[in-house]
Amino acid sequence: MKRSLSIFFFLCFSSLLLAFPAFSSRLVSGSHAVSFDSGKTEEDQAESGKMEEKKAESGKMEKTEEKKEEEEEAKLLAATKTSEKTKQIILKLDHRLSLWNKGEDGRWKKVAEYYSGHGRNGFKKAEERREGDGTTPIGSFPILFSFGQGDKPETEMSYRRISRNSYWSSGRKDYNSWVESGKKIEGEHLIEYPICYQYAMAVGFNQNPAVFGRGSAIFLHIKAPDSWESSGCITLEKEALLELFRLCRDGCYILIVPDASSIESY
């Protein structure tokens, strides 16, 4: 009896061994084969490969469009009057802010780009703007100097350090200018803005002459913690502004426009 059982189990085990190669071959062959490495079928892998190819192709197309856009903007900048005045332009194009350098061959090249904020009420032509209307002036303006609350950061630009007596005047006598005063005057007491004016650049809007009531204290400064909007200034993340400090030099201009079609006007 024991011998018969042993023979029976031996025959069953042998049958299983003979059947396993055929079974295993079906697992690893055919249109729905199982991949033991990834758990995906061949169809899944093929579909995944197609998706990766589409992503790569889409990325190439985006880069091509970006390059065309950059070349077009470079041509527009080269045709501006601002291009004749400087070798560096900060281009504020809606929410895009970019820095451009002019090469020895006269061509403009973009060297940096950031997201930026502006006045809560959008843009307005410089000559139409009024104090407190919440708009950012459209036009071409020199960057007067950089300033901030502490020691001069890494920059080749002229830098002013804010003191307890530092104001940006909105009074008729010294309208739209930096004033050091031991007593309170009309305007912004700069030291009272430790976040936004930790670092900033003064924009030469409404200067030489300064028209009283047209607007004052237009800066490029660090954004508020809770908003990109401002009363008319241009706002950036702190890291972006510090990088701009490192890249900019005295003589830089800022060109502020709502769209690319407006670039050639300045």
Side-chain angles (χ1 to χ4, degrees), residues 2-237:
K2 290 182 178 179
R3 181 178 177 81
S4 298
L5 287 172
S6 298
I7 293 171
F8 173 76
F9 285 124
F10 174 76
L11 290 173
C12 289
F13 182 69
S14 299
S15 298
L16 288 171
L17 288 176
L18 290 171
F20 182 76
F23 175 73
S24 61
S25 66
R26 287 196 295 272
L27 286 174
V28 296
S29 63
S31 61
H32 293 281
V34 175
S35 169
F36 290 102
D37 292 332
S38 65
K40 294 182 179 179
T41 66
E42 288 180 356
E43 285 184 350
D44 290 338
Q45 291 175 335
E47 187 64 27
S48 178
K50 289 179 181 179
M51 289 180 66
E52 290 300 321
E53 288 178 5
K54 287 181 179 179
K55 286 181 181 179
E57 187 63 30
S58 177
K60 288 180 182 178
M61 291 177 65
E62 286 180 5
K63 287 183 179 179
T64 300
E65 289 300 316
E66 288 175 2
K67 187 175 181 180
K68 286 181 180 179
E69 186 178 74
E70 184 174 329
E71 290 174 350
E72 182 61 29
E73 288 178 1
K75 290 178 182 178
L76 291 171
L77 284 175
T80 63
K81 292 181 180 179
T82 305
S83 178
E84 301 171 6
K85 303 175 184 178
T86 181
K87 292 184 177 181
Q88 273 195 322
I89 294 176
I90 299 171
L91 176 61
K92 165 69 172 168
L93 181 56
D94 196 15
H95 282 289
R96 279 200 300 126
L97 187 142
S98 52
L99 176 65
W100 298 72
N101 287 341
K102 183 163 65 175
E104 295 299 324
D105 59 359
R107 295 181 179 181
W108 287 92
K109 182 178 180 181
K110 183 166 64 176
V111 294
E113 183 171 303
Y114 319 96
Y115 183 87
S116 65
H118 46 252
R120 61 182 176 274
N121 292 324
F123 300 91
K124 185 178 285 186
K125 290 183 179 180
E127 62 273 17
E128 298 175 1
R129 194 178 182 278
R130 293 293 178 267
E131 185 85 48
D133 67 6
T135 64
T136 296
I138 297 170
S140 174
F141 315 103
I143 296 295
L144 302 177
F145 52 84
S146 61
F147 65 93
Q149 301 278 356
D151 293 335
K152 181 179 181 179
E154 183 183 350
T155 183
E156 294 182 26
M157 303 178 72
S158 301
Y159 181 80
R160 294 187 185 183
R161 182 170 180 171
I162 294 171
S163 74
R164 292 189 176 278
N165 296 330
S166 301
Y167 290 83
W168 199 276
S169 174
S170 62
R172 187 178 291 273
K173 179 183 177 183
D174 302 299
Y175 190 68
N176 196 27
S177 66
W178 181 298
V179 175
E180 292 291 323
S181 174
K183 62 180 181 178
K184 186 175 181 178
I185 66 171
E186 290 182 82
E188 293 188 359
H189 192 198
L190 301 179
I191 204 168
E192 294 179 5
Y193 301 86
I195 295 177
C196 294
Y197 297 167
Q198 183 181 5
Y199 297 108
M201 296 181 187
V203 177
F205 159 72
N206 194 22
Q207 300 276 330
N208 304 318
V211 178
F212 183 73
R214 180 167 289 174
S216 61
I218 297 297
F219 307 137
L220 199 165
H221 65 69
I222 297 170
K223 69 177 289 292
D226 59 347
S227 178
W228 283 96
E229 293 183 347
S230 71
S231 295
C233 294
I234 297 165
T235 63
L236 283 173
E237 293 279 9

